[in-house]
Amino acid sequence: MSDQETGSLETLSRTAARLRPWVWSGDPLPRLLFFTDPLRVPDPEAVAERLPAGAGIVYRPFDAADAVERGLRLAAIARARGLLLLAGADPALAQAIGAGGVHLPQRLADGAAELRRDHPSWRITAAAHDAPAVRAVQTVGVEAVVVSPVFPSNSPSAGAPLGVEGLSAIAAGAALPIYALGGVNAKTAGALVGAGVYGLAGIEGFGG
């Protein structure tokens, strides 16, 4: 990872520290969540090695043949660096690599209650893409909601961006911590200070 990419992470970390505080009954969730993507960030281990202590990784192998092998490498980095590792959409993968929990896409969020029952120590987050989805997701037993897309994104599945104003309206009505995802990087993150979000989530913006 280049000096510029390292500087981007430092900027993101400083910005995240200025976001909305949240009172936790247990350990707080990370302020930064790095979402892996095998096409857009082919070397997630390099990003993981530079993440600040206390940050999180959402590991999404998208059915790659080496999903468990790479997941175990990320798990080792996470343990060594004090990072939270979540498996994206796949509880079986989370168990196989010893992850600290799961991140569920919006379509699978209803399974959070069962996962919470079966794995009480897991950290569980979920995705949502509009205010009604956030209201639904926050009732199923997750700890935080990742809302996207906030800014224009390179994700092929991203819809129209919410913008800071749209995200702020969602965060104001949310009962759980909100992460901003979609076009979040060192240049755009500053606009989210004061928007009511708890944390920043990103893919390429985290140094891919």
Side-chain angles (χ1 to χ4, degrees):
M1 185 177 294
S2 69
D3 290 343
Q4 181 179 357
E5 289 165 337
T6 300
S8 294
L9 280 175
E10 292 173 350
T11 298
L12 286 166
S13 185
R14 289 194 300 269
T15 302
R18 300 167 56 202
L19 298 178
R20 180 181 179 179
W22 203 272
V23 177
W24 298 89
S25 58
D27 291 337
L29 281 169
R31 289 284 194 170
L32 298 178
L33 282 180
F34 164 53
F35 278 67
T36 73
D37 185 303
L39 294 179
R40 296 163 63 189
V41 186
D43 189 2
E45 292 91 342
V47 179
E49 289 281 8
R50 297 295 184 94
L51 288 172
I57 303 167
V58 177
Y59 174 47
R60 306 181 303 165
F62 297 121
D63 299 320
D66 64 345
V68 172
E69 179 184 358
R70 170 156 269 174
L72 289 171
R73 293 200 299 271
L74 287 171
I77 295 170
R79 286 192 298 271
R81 296 187 52 78
L83 309 173
L84 173 65
L85 177 64
L86 304 178
D90 192 339
L93 177 63
Q95 290 184 288
I97 65 176
V102 294
H103 171 77
L104 301 172
Q106 184 176 304
R107 70 182 186 279
L108 298 179
D110 286 347
E114 183 177 352
L115 287 174
R116 175 70 61 207
R117 182 195 67 206
D118 294 342
H119 304 279
S121 66
W122 275 7
R123 315 306 300 268
I124 303 175
T125 63
H129 305 296
D130 54 36
V134 170
R135 288 194 293 270
V137 163
Q138 66 187 12
T139 67
V140 298
V142 303
E143 293 179 79
V145 185
V146 179
V147 177
S148 68
V150 179
F151 303 110
S153 168
N154 290 328
S155 172
S157 62
L162 294 163
V164 175
E165 184 175 343
L167 178 65
S168 297
I170 290 173
L176 292 176
I178 298 295
Y179 287 89
L181 174 67
V184 175
N185 55 47
K187 294 180 179 179
T188 61
L192 298 172
V193 176
V197 299
Y198 169 80
L200 306 174
I203 304 172
E204 293 154 301
F206 278 48

